[in-house]
Amino acid sequence: MTIEHVSSNKSFGGWHKQYSHASTTTHCDMRFAIYLPPQCSSGAKVPVLYWLSGLTCTDENFMQKAGAQRIAAELGIAIVAPDTSPRGENVANDDGYDLGQGAGFYLNATQAPWSAHFHMYDYVVNELPALIEAHFPVTQQRAISGHSMGGHGALTIALKNPQLFASASAFSPICHPTQCPWGQKAFTAYLGEDQSTWQQYDTVYLISQNRESVPMLVDQGLDDNFLKEQLMPSALAEAVKQTDYPLVLRQHEGYDHSYYFIASFIEDHLRFHAKQLAE
């Protein structure tokens, strides 16, 4: 489990660092970013928030735009941001922004040519945490969050692995991917025509299955261009209502799908996770 250092930047007394490594899960080189708060320099081990970004993003978008480091430094939380998909000349791709490289959808592909590399679910759940815990001063306490496609990933991963994550949150998540164009395109390509295999990666469906609960916070902007066609928060709200699931869904007038929205409420999410991680 070797990693290669790419870059370092000091931030709010801690360090933002990038690393690459040869992944045994995606069978290609992967890159991730980690923010280590200043407490790590004093020898402390800290919990980790895993952040999953959206379509077209890399490990850089959240770290550069969200403004999360200041609060993470205060709370003593590390942040890990993986890339959003496998990448490389030998990795399958598509001309569309919503399929292929940059669009891993945090699932395990079963259909060729995607099944050779697109195992982002296993990467985020198993390989990446093991790598982080082996190389950095962190505990096994984990939370998970994300935006859009990454919000879908964060919620579904937490719902399927409640023993691994103390809490989950999302900004503008794709709530019901089996019923929206982004999800239907990706799931058909990655998982095939049998739609019964899609449900395991659908937040609305998973909440309806009465699984062990994980505290969740979701924020959605009401001026989001993708609100009704792609994100479908109304379906999430109905599933939460029917099951009394411990998910708080907040909707905000005037906010869109951008990192301006994320930066406006990221402090709330970090404090939410810090509270759950402390319990």
Side-chain angles (χ1 to χ4, degrees):
M1 297 175 68
T2 60
I3 59 176
E4 180 179 347
H5 179 251
V6 176
S7 67
S8 294
N9 303 92
K10 195 164 188 179
S11 179
F12 293 97
W15 287 93
H16 166 269
K17 300 184 178 186
Q18 285 180 307
Y19 291 89
S20 65
H21 70 104
S23 170
T24 59
T25 302
T26 64
H27 307 292
C28 65
D29 288 341
M30 295 292 292
R31 192 172 72 177
F32 67 86
I34 183 169
Y35 177 70
L36 296 168
Q39 291 85 346
C40 293
S41 299
S42 303
K45 288 190 174 184
V46 299
V48 182
L49 173 67
Y50 288 87
W51 173 270
L52 308 182
S53 288
L55 290 166
T56 76
C57 290
T58 68
D59 63 287
E60 295 182 337
N61 299 71
F62 176 80
M63 292 297 200
Q64 293 180 359
K65 296 180 179 180
Q69 290 89 344
R70 178 178 63 85
I71 304 302
E74 174 194 330
L75 297 173
I77 296 175
I79 301 174
V80 172
D83 203 346
T84 54
S85 79
R87 297 182 193 269
E89 291 184 4
N90 297 321
V91 175
N93 203 7
D94 187 85
D95 290 337
Y97 74 94
D98 52 356
L99 187 67
Q101 296 185 35
F105 270 84
Y106 305 102
L107 50 72
N108 290 333
T110 59
Q111 305 298 303
W114 313 104
S115 55
H117 299 282
F118 281 70
H119 301 140
M120 289 300 294
Y121 175 86
D122 281 349
Y123 180 74
V124 171
V125 172
N126 298 312
E127 184 177 8
L128 184 60
L131 197 71
I132 297 301
E133 289 163 15
H135 287 277
F136 299 100
V138 300
T139 69
Q140 292 184 330
Q141 295 173 286
R142 307 169 189 167
I144 192 165
S145 185
H147 172 231
S148 194
M149 178 186 72
H152 140 77
L155 297 181
T156 56
I157 285 172
L159 284 162
K160 289 160 68 72
N161 300 276
Q163 75 283 5
L164 297 181
F165 298 95
S167 52
S169 72
F171 292 86
S172 316
I174 304 172
C175 298
H176 206 7
T178 60
Q179 302 301 315
C180 77
W182 276 341
Q184 291 169 343
K185 177 179 179 179
F187 288 4
T188 300
Y190 296 145
L191 303 174
E193 298 287 347
D194 182 359
Q195 296 188 15
S196 67
T197 67
W198 299 5
Q199 294 175 335
Q200 62 181 309
Y201 300 112
D202 187 298
T203 296
V204 169
Y205 176 80
L206 290 172
I207 283 180
S208 72
Q209 298 309 294
N210 296 315
R211 293 171 176 266
E212 180 182 345
S213 62
V214 177
M216 294 182 171
L217 172 64
V218 174
D219 278 321
Q220 175 63 61
L222 292 177
D223 277 16
D224 192 315
N225 290 338
F226 306 111
L227 182 66
K228 293 182 179 180
E229 182 181 26
Q230 303 284 11
L231 306 180
M232 304 178 70
S234 59
L236 176 62
E238 182 60 27
V240 169
K241 179 180 177 181
Q242 292 296 326
T243 59
D244 198 28
Y245 198 88
L247 184 153
V248 176
L249 172 60
R250 308 190 304 184
Q251 302 188 71
H252 305 271
E253 294 285 351
Y255 287 93
D256 58 19
H257 201 70
S258 71
Y259 268 84
Y260 295 107
F261 173 47
I262 296 172
S264 298
F265 297 100
I266 190 62
E267 180 173 350
D268 290 356
H269 284 240
L270 286 167
R271 295 194 185 281
F272 166 76
H273 291 298
K275 180 180 178 182
Q276 301 303 324
L277 289 163
E279 292 184 354

